């Protein structure tokens, strides 16, 4: 055990005791998580499993994260791909609601998830100068302790993750970036510009989950990207063994949801948040039920709008036809119950639930926004509808509901598209090719 690491471990125990004396639940959580990581880290170092001992390069995957969503799940998949390609890899991110349970699930796969929350001097304006100095003095040392040969920084929104990217360069660690959304156009302040130049000077490669996400990213950051930086588009994957058409699952899921076997069911998988617009799905249900009185809506997920949408369903007299499932881990068991899947987002980097529905043979409907359009434009497995225009969008969905033969054809063709473009095997090859020569 290295002296500095041993001191950190002992100091962590001292801080845990202090937090327990103060009955500080938040502090106890933080210290236990940090100690669990350090114990694993030091144990591996002692047994010669770290880079330099077994000859494997170590890639740290990190980000600015606020919730468990599509980007975080993709980060964990990245670790799986990297390990299959012969690298050591693990996750490091901020603490957020539900992260402890997620960390326990990942631990079952021997994937480490460490807490890393450097001071934010890009992502927030207040105290940015003080936080930059704190990052230089403290967070850089913490980043070096991971002993990474390369840092992968996932960006879900403009500058979200840029503090870690700058710190990687400060620690003289090369970096790659993955882009998970279509960022709106903005301008950078005199404060940000020199820091962005420094941060991007250490970037060796950038990939985006869709062409739209890459286009938006380049429109913002092109002046800071060094010539020769590797660029690629690598979509999100879907496990085609888990997500598959199944008549048995369809019947079982409908019975568990409590809907009649002959009912029509539309549904949406995603957070109940402004971005996903669950209220719009409810409004569409109200319009469609005039022609389809046996139509139900299933909303899978939780989020800040859950209570509002439930009240909206009551006011509209639709509560009996709207099913709120809450968080569902095994969504592949529920998706086959749907006749049509809806993703009515205001914006998307890449609609994972869209390709999961297609993998299950369910026709996919999504608003015509970047990310979703990358999947469904020209697709035979789904359709794009106008965003913010229910008057014209609802009849397009009605045309699917009234035509079971069309839905069946779309389901078969959508499944074939997923197997060809988005299977874990196909995307895994793209990831391995992207990293080749960068580490």
């Amino acid at each position: 055990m290295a002296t500095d690491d041993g001191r950190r471990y002992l100091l962590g125990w001292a801080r845990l005791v202090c937090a327990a004396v103060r009955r500080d639940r938040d502090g106890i959580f933080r210290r236990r998580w940090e100690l669990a990581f350090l114990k694993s880290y030091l144990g591996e170092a002692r047994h010669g499993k770290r880079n330099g001992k077994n000859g494997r390069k170590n890639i740290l995957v990190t980000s600015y994260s606020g919730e468990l969503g599509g980007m975080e799940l993709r980060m964990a998949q990245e670790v799986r791909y990297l390990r299959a390609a012969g690298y050591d890899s693990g996750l490091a991110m901020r603490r957020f609601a539900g992260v402890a349970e997620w960390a326990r699930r990942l631990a079952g796969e021997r994937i480490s998830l460490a807490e890393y929350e450097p001071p934010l001097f890009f992502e927030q304006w207040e105290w940015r100068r003080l936080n930059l100095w704190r990052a230089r003095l403290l967070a850089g040392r913490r980043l070096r302790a991971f002993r990474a040969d390369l840092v992968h920084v996932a960006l879900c929104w403009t500058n979200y993750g840029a503090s870690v990217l700058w710190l990687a360069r400060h620690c003289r660690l090369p970096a790659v970036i993955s882009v998970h959304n279509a960022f709106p156009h903005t301008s950078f302040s005199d404060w940000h510009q020199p820091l962005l130049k420094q941060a991007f000077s250490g970037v060796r490669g950038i990939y985006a989950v869709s062409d739209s996400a890459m286009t938006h990213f380049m429109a913002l950051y092109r002046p800071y990207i060094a010539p020769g930086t590797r660029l690629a588009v690598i979509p999100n994957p879907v496990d085609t063994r888990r997500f598959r058409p199944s008549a048995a699952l369809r019947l079982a899921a409908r019975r568990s949801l409590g809907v009649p076997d002959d009912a029509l069911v539309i549904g949406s998988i995603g957070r109940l948040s402004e971005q996903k617009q669950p209220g719009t799905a409810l409004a569409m249900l109200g319009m469609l039920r005039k022609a389809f009185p046996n139509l139900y809506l299933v909303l899978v997920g939780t989020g800040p709008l859950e209570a509002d949408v439930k009240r909206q369903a009551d006011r509209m007299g639709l509560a009996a036809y709207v099913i709120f499932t809450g968080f569902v881990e095994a969504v592949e068991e529920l998706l086959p119950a749907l006749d049509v899947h809806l993703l009515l987002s205001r914006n998307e980097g890449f609609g994972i639930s869209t390709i999961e529905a297609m993998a299950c043979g369910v026709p996919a409907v999504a608003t015509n926004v970047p990310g979703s359009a990358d999947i469904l434009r020209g697709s035979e497995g789904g359709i794009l509808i106008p965003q913010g225009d229910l008057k014209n969008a609802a009849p397009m969905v009605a045309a699917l509901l009234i035509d079971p033969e069309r839905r069946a054809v779309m389901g078969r063709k959508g499944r074939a598209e997923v197997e060809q473009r988005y299977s874990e095997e196909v995307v895994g090859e793209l990831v391995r090719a992207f990293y080749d020569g960068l580490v």
Side-chain angles (χ1 to χ4, degrees):
M1 181 185 299
T3 303
D4 287 346
D5 291 336
R7 287 173 180 167
R8 286 182 60 218
Y9 189 68
L10 293 174
L11 181 60
W13 269 106
R15 288 173 173 168
L16 174 60
V17 171
C18 291
V21 170
R22 296 194 306 270
R23 297 182 180 179
D24 177 6
R25 291 184 178 181
D26 184 70
I28 291 171
F29 178 92
R30 285 173 175 268
R31 302 312 169 195
R32 281 180 173 173
W33 192 6
E34 184 177 33
L35 283 168
F37 166 75
L38 281 171
K39 183 177 180 181
S40 173
Y41 173 84
L42 294 170
E44 288 182 3
R46 185 183 304 115
H47 291 95
K49 296 180 182 178
R50 283 282 161 187
N51 179 47
K53 300 283 188 175
N54 60 8
R56 292 161 63 100
K57 298 294 185 179
N58 183 22
I59 300 175
L60 179 70
V61 182
T62 183
S63 181
Y64 173 100
S65 184
E67 61 186 16
L68 181 58
M71 184 188 76
E72 289 72 24
L73 296 176
R74 172 63 188 266
M75 292 166 66
Q77 184 61 44
E78 194 86 0
V79 171
R80 298 183 188 100
Y81 284 144
L82 290 168
R83 290 185 169 188
Y87 301 101
D88 284 338
S89 187
L91 294 164
M93 61 183 64
R94 303 166 69 229
R95 184 165 56 92
F96 53 82
V99 71
E101 176 58 32
W102 187 42
R104 281 192 286 271
R105 296 202 302 268
L106 291 173
E109 302 180 56
R110 301 184 66 82
I111 294 176
S112 63
L113 172 56
E115 181 179 8
Y116 184 56
E117 190 167 354
L120 303 177
F121 48 92
F122 270 102
E123 294 84 352
Q124 67 184 32
W125 193 251
E126 190 176 9
W127 303 108
R128 66 191 186 282
R129 299 184 188 280
L130 175 61
N131 283 342
L132 177 58
W133 280 106
R134 290 175 59 220
R136 281 181 172 138
L137 295 173
L138 301 174
R141 182 179 180 185
R142 175 81 169 97
L143 183 59
R144 292 187 190 97
F146 290 106
R147 298 184 184 178
D149 297 287
L150 184 79
V151 179
H152 175 124
V153 182
L155 298 185
C156 62
W157 203 242
T158 310
N159 284 343
Y160 278 27
S163 291
V164 180
L165 188 66
W166 183 91
L167 277 166
R169 182 56 178 163
H170 175 68
C171 295
R172 298 181 180 179
L173 293 172
V176 299
I177 296 172
S178 57
V179 183
H180 298 261
N181 218 326
F183 303 156
H185 186 73
T186 188
S187 57
F188 298 113
S189 68
D190 292 340
W191 162 259
H192 285 121
Q193 288 180 21
L195 294 174
L196 284 171
K197 290 179 181 177
Q198 294 169 22
F200 274 86
S201 65
V203 174
R204 293 183 176 178
I206 302 168
Y207 77 74
V209 295
S210 68
D211 289 319
S212 295
M214 179 61 86
T215 298
H216 283 70
F217 185 84
M218 294 300 288
L220 282 175
Y221 294 103
R222 188 184 299 274
Y224 309 102
I225 299 172
T229 300
R230 183 173 296 175
L231 303 177
V233 174
I234 305 177
N236 284 318
V238 61
D239 185 343
T240 52
R241 292 174 295 274
R242 283 180 55 209
F243 292 86
R244 56 187 174 82
S246 170
L249 283 177
R250 176 182 172 85
L251 183 61
R254 284 178 165 239
R255 289 179 177 173
S256 70
L257 291 170
V259 300
D261 292 347
D262 61 348
L264 288 169
V265 182
I266 59 176
S268 181
I269 296 177
R271 276 181 54 78
L272 303 181
S273 63
E274 289 288 349
Q275 179 197 357
K276 304 294 184 179
Q277 301 193 104
T280 301
L282 190 58
M284 181 175 286
L285 174 69
M287 297 175 69
L288 292 172
R289 275 190 54 79
K290 297 172 184 177
F292 304 96
N294 64 334
L295 181 64
Y296 289 77
L297 170 66
V298 178
L299 295 175
V300 182
T302 60
L305 295 185
E306 183 171 354
D308 291 341
V309 177
K310 286 180 177 178
R311 285 192 291 267
Q312 181 183 348
D314 286 334
R315 288 195 302 269
M316 296 176 67
L318 296 174
Y321 305 99
V322 184
I323 301 166
F324 295 85
T325 69
F327 174 77
V328 175
E329 184 171 353
V331 292
E332 71 275 12
E333 296 178 4
L334 190 152
L335 264 169
L338 306 182
D339 293 294
V340 173
H341 180 265
L342 304 174
L343 187 63
L344 306 181
S345 308
R346 288 180 175 177
N347 60 276
E348 279 291 340
F350 185 98
I352 294 177
S353 61
T354 293
I355 62 171
E356 290 176 343
M358 293 167 67
C360 291
V362 176
V365 173
T367 43
N368 191 1
V369 297
S372 291
D374 290 86
I375 300 171
L376 292 180
R377 187 183 292 116
S379 170
E380 295 184 278
I383 61 172
L384 292 167
I385 59 175
Q387 198 270 330
D389 185 3
L390 271 179
K391 182 180 179 180
N392 288 306
M396 297 172 71
V397 178
L400 283 177
L401 294 175
I402 205 170
D403 192 343
E405 184 177 346
R406 182 186 174 196
R407 294 200 308 271
V409 172
M410 291 177 71
R412 290 194 296 271
K413 291 186 175 181
R415 170 71 185 187
E417 287 180 20
V418 168
E419 291 175 335
Q420 293 167 9
R421 301 178 186 176
Y422 307 116
S423 72
E424 288 190 339
E425 293 76 17
V426 169
V427 175
E429 286 300 320
L430 295 174
V431 170
R432 285 188 281 274
F434 173 78
Y435 281 97
D436 187 30
L438 292 184
V439 185

